[in-house]
Amino acid sequence: MFIVSSYAQAIFFCIITMLCWGSWANTQKLANKNWRYELFYWDYILGIFLLSLIFAFTLGSHGELGRPFVADLKQAESQHIFNALLGGIIFNAANILLSSAIALAGMAVAFPVGIGTALILGVLINYIAATKGNPTLLFIGVICIAIAIIINAIAYKKVTKTQNNRSSKGLLLSLLAGLLMSLFYRFIASAMDLDNFEAPASGKMTPYTAVFIFSAGILLSNFIFNTLLMKKPLNGPPLSYKEYFNGNFSVHTVGLLGGIIWGIGNSLNLIAAGKAGPAISYGLGQGATLVAALWGVFIWREFKGASRQVVILLTLMFILFIIGLLLLIEAGK
């Protein structure tokens, strides 16, 4: 199977993760305006699952190092399979809340608050589980990002005073999504042998197998989570499966593309975790917050018409995010 060979390569993969995780939500924006995010989300999840299969039977099955996907899946212990499945279930609950927040408050708010919160807590959780990296630089970087999130929340509050179409519900959902999102990575990381991808310990899984099980957990839990959300939506009238199957080819394709984009980032991030360590790999991946905020502010114009004070706050947020991410990279050297 394909394995990352150096720290520099791991950082490169984490940057790709950052771009993928920060950009997939554009597909939700691009979907038909009448195509609710609950319907979009089914295709998104299918895209994640399909990508995990593609990677498992290509990068995860060829090469001299590691174990090929099918052999690895057969030898995996039930405890590690359960952990990867549980990681998928937790992620799905968090991501549905995040998608709801995007629909209500936009990318420029949902990502900095939700994923930024996940970054802070997730880095701490993953560092405690696997102490790899310079703790001083790591935690200073996290503090910079925490301040950036607070500034973003302040800017959002100032905008909501003048734009009545925005809802504080989006801010609350972003926070809840972030709290849950901080937990999923630890479970999937524990199912892998992070110290030796070349010859993983018996019972543990390679990143490709773990991602497949993780994606299966997302897909299976979606039949519960998203069905409930369709029947009792956080915003708008209830939906039926008939409406999903009435969707045209283009809206289904956009949703699948969103899942594939996110799945590429997720797979590369876990492949990189062996060299970078889970705390740094996760933290850099969740730098997607910065990418999504850039999309929201400059492309989707979610803060259009904001005051000069809000513009200054957003600029300061971006600067602190960049400093924080650079410190996370330096922490792993």
Side-chain angles (χ1 to χ4, degrees):
M1 68 177 188
F2 174 79
I3 294 173
V4 169
S5 58
S6 67
Y7 181 70
Q9 191 178 33
I11 294 300
F12 176 70
F13 276 21
C14 289
I15 290 171
I16 296 177
T17 297
M18 188 190 307
L19 294 172
C20 289
W21 282 359
S23 300
W24 72 262
N26 288 310
T27 58
Q28 183 176 335
K29 289 271 193 179
L30 289 169
N32 190 306
K33 290 183 178 180
N34 297 320
W35 191 244
R36 290 259 296 275
Y37 74 88
E38 296 96 335
L39 303 175
F40 162 90
Y41 199 74
W42 281 108
D43 294 316
Y44 169 76
I45 294 303
L46 287 172
I48 291 175
F49 184 73
L50 288 173
L51 192 280
S52 73
L53 277 174
I54 292 169
F55 268 32
F57 285 107
T58 54
L59 295 178
S61 296
H62 300 285
E64 297 179 358
L65 299 176
R67 283 188 294 260
F69 168 62
V70 174
D72 192 50
L73 182 61
K74 288 180 178 178
Q75 66 82 51
E77 293 179 356
S78 57
Q79 175 189 348
H80 301 308
I81 291 175
F82 173 79
N83 283 343
L85 276 172
L86 183 59
I89 293 168
I90 293 171
F91 167 81
N92 197 27
N95 212 45
I96 283 177
L97 290 175
L98 180 66
S99 295
S100 303
I102 291 169
L104 290 171
M107 287 174 66
V109 172
F111 267 81
V113 175
I115 303 302
T117 300
L119 188 156
I120 294 167
L121 296 177
V123 166
L124 296 175
I125 291 168
N126 285 288
Y127 183 79
I128 291 169
T131 53
K132 190 171 184 177
N134 184 314
T136 302
L137 293 178
L138 196 66
F139 296 132
I140 292 174
V142 167
I143 289 169
C144 287
I145 292 168
I147 296 171
I149 292 167
I150 293 169
I151 290 172
N152 182 261
I154 293 170
Y156 174 64
K157 282 293 185 183
K158 288 184 178 295
V159 171
T160 56
K161 289 179 180 178
T162 57
Q163 297 183 17
N164 295 326
N165 62 323
R166 293 176 179 264
S167 170
S168 60
K169 187 190 290 184
L171 195 61
L172 177 60
L173 289 175
S174 299
L175 284 170
L176 291 174
L179 291 172
L180 280 174
M181 193 72 76
S182 68
L183 301 173
F184 86 88
Y185 198 88
R186 182 64 238 136
F187 287 99
I188 188 171
S190 70
M192 304 184 299
D193 185 357
L194 291 170
D195 296 322
N196 193 358
F197 283 171
E198 292 86 351
S202 178
K204 292 235 175 183
M205 294 182 279
T206 69
Y208 302 95
T209 308
V211 166
F212 168 73
I213 299 296
F214 168 79
S215 302
I218 297 173
L219 179 62
L220 292 172
S221 65
N222 207 48
F223 286 97
I224 298 173
F225 295 154
N226 206 18
T227 299
L228 288 173
L229 198 61
M230 287 170 66
K231 292 185 178 300
K232 294 186 179 294
L234 295 169
N235 190 46
L239 295 165
S240 67
Y241 282 108
K242 181 181 179 181
E243 291 172 271
Y244 171 79
F245 290 108
N246 285 339
N248 60 43
F249 177 78
S250 64
V251 294
H252 287 303
T253 302
V254 167
L256 285 169
L257 178 62
I260 288 170
I261 291 170
W262 189 91
I264 290 171
N266 185 53
S267 293
L268 295 184
N269 189 267
L270 288 163
I271 294 167
K275 287 293 182 183
I280 292 170
S281 183
Y282 176 83
L284 285 178
Q286 296 294 28
T289 313
L290 177 63
V291 177
L294 287 167
W295 280 110
V297 171
F298 296 108
I299 304 301
W300 299 109
R301 309 288 291 174
E302 291 172 351
F303 280 83
K304 185 179 180 180
S307 67
R308 184 171 179 274
Q309 186 179 17
V310 170
V311 172
I312 292 171
L313 288 171
L314 289 172
T315 303
L316 184 57
M317 177 200 74
F318 285 128
I319 292 171
L320 285 169
F321 254 115
I322 291 169
I323 292 172
L325 292 173
L326 290 174
L327 286 170
L328 289 185
I329 292 172
E330 191 65 27
K333 290 183 178 179

